[in-house]
């Protein structure tokens, strides 16, 4: 696993005898971070929950980090302007890194709109540990679903800095998995994802 080092001269990385390989072996699984990115309403949370159910049935040890849920605690002090969004991604990526180090399969459901922020997240992991999944649902389909009523608020001028409308979304350039979620059902998309993870 990749490690980050503080630039502070009085901080040093502490080594441990029980490492990620030992923890993963105990759980009989390959620790990974499965990072679901896409527009609001694309289906990320639905896929994260379905994927965790399938992995649980296989006896895997998992945890879902959902962007909305983390806004209630870890990231409650952040807004939705660009710098706050980047900090939101950074914090969640650091938590995911710790959970992967603990031997878990971590499923992150987060809009994470900017390529540079997702690249930073990837850089925290060793090769093969970070699986970027583009939950590709067109804006018009997300807006038609509008399960949280957010798009309606945007159109009424009640919300600003909303991804895909007045705030940009940069699609992944080379994701490990590209799910066309306006063409397949959620259960089909999860099976497609599972087939890639099995390789």
């Amino acid at each position: 696993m990749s490690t980050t080092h503080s630039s502070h001269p009085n901080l040093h990385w502490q080594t441990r005898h029980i490492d990620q390989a030992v923890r993963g072996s105990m759980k009989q699984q390959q620790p990974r971070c499965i990072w679901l990115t896409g527009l609001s309403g694309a289906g990320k949370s639905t896929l994260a929950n379905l994927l965790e159910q399938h992995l649980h049935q296989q006896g895997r040890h998992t945890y879902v980090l959902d962007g909305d849920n983390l806004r209630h605690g870890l990231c409650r002090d952040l807004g939705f302007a660009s710098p706050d969004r980047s900090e939101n991604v950074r914090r969640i990526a650091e938590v995911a890194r710790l959970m992967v180090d603990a031997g878990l399969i971590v499923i992150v459901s987060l809009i994470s709109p900017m390529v540079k922020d997702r690249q930073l997240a990837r850089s925290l992991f060793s090769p093969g540990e970070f699986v970027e999944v583009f939950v590709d649902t067109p804006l018009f389909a997300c807006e038609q679903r509008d399960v949280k009523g957010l798009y309606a608020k945007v159109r009424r001028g009640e919300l600003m800095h909303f991804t895909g409308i007045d705030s940009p979304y940069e699609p992944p350039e080379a994701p490990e998995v590209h799910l066309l979620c306006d063409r397949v059902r959620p259960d089909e998309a999860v099976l497609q994802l599972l087939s890639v993870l099995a390789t």
Side-chain angles (χ1 to χ4, degrees):
M1 183 175 107
S2 176
T3 58
T4 56
H5 297 273
S6 171
S7 59
H8 195 288
N10 296 323
L11 294 178
H12 304 278
W13 193 267
Q14 299 298 316
T15 58
R16 296 159 302 177
H17 297 291
I18 306 300
D19 62 10
Q20 176 183 308
V22 172
R23 299 184 192 101
S25 177
M26 180 180 292
K27 295 175 175 59
Q28 298 183 338
Q29 64 186 27
Q30 178 185 349
R32 281 178 168 173
C33 174
I34 303 166
W35 191 282
L36 306 178
T37 176
L39 295 172
S40 177
K44 299 181 299 299
S45 295
T46 297
L47 291 176
N49 290 331
L50 283 173
L51 177 60
E52 185 174 42
Q53 289 174 36
H54 278 273
L55 292 172
H56 178 73
Q57 290 169 2
Q58 296 174 7
R60 305 302 181 192
H61 299 254
T62 62
Y63 198 85
V64 173
L65 293 173
D66 184 88
D68 280 1
N69 291 350
L70 291 170
R71 286 276 186 176
H72 291 286
L74 178 69
C75 302
R76 66 188 301 175
D77 58 320
L78 299 176
F80 292 91
S82 181
D84 283 357
R85 284 182 177 274
S86 293
E87 174 61 12
N88 187 54
V89 172
R90 188 196 69 80
R91 291 184 192 181
I92 294 172
E94 289 284 0
V95 172
R97 180 178 70 90
L98 293 172
M99 288 186 159
V100 168
D101 191 42
L104 297 175
I105 297 172
V106 184
I107 306 164
V108 176
S109 172
L110 186 65
I111 293 173
S112 45
M114 307 307 288
V115 168
K116 65 178 178 59
D117 294 329
R118 297 193 302 268
Q119 288 175 340
L120 182 146
R122 182 185 291 274
S123 73
L124 299 180
F125 298 88
S126 297
E129 285 181 354
F130 186 89
V131 180
E132 186 177 41
V133 181
F134 181 21
V135 184
D136 187 359
T137 305
L139 177 62
F140 75 87
C142 295
E143 190 162 2
Q144 283 178 345
R145 296 175 183 177
D146 202 14
V147 292
K148 301 173 184 176
L150 298 177
Y151 286 96
K153 288 185 178 181
V154 173
R155 297 305 184 188
R156 292 195 301 266
E158 298 172 7
L159 275 181
M160 298 192 59
H161 306 300
F162 196 82
T163 305
I165 297 182
D166 61 346
S167 186
Y169 179 81
E170 298 176 349
E173 297 169 346
E176 280 76 13
V177 184
H178 187 173
L179 300 174
L180 299 173
C181 290
D182 60 326
R183 304 181 190 178
V184 296
R185 300 191 311 268
D187 58 328
E188 295 172 330
V190 167
L191 292 177
Q192 182 181 338
L193 177 52
L194 285 168
S195 68
V196 173
L197 295 177
T199 59

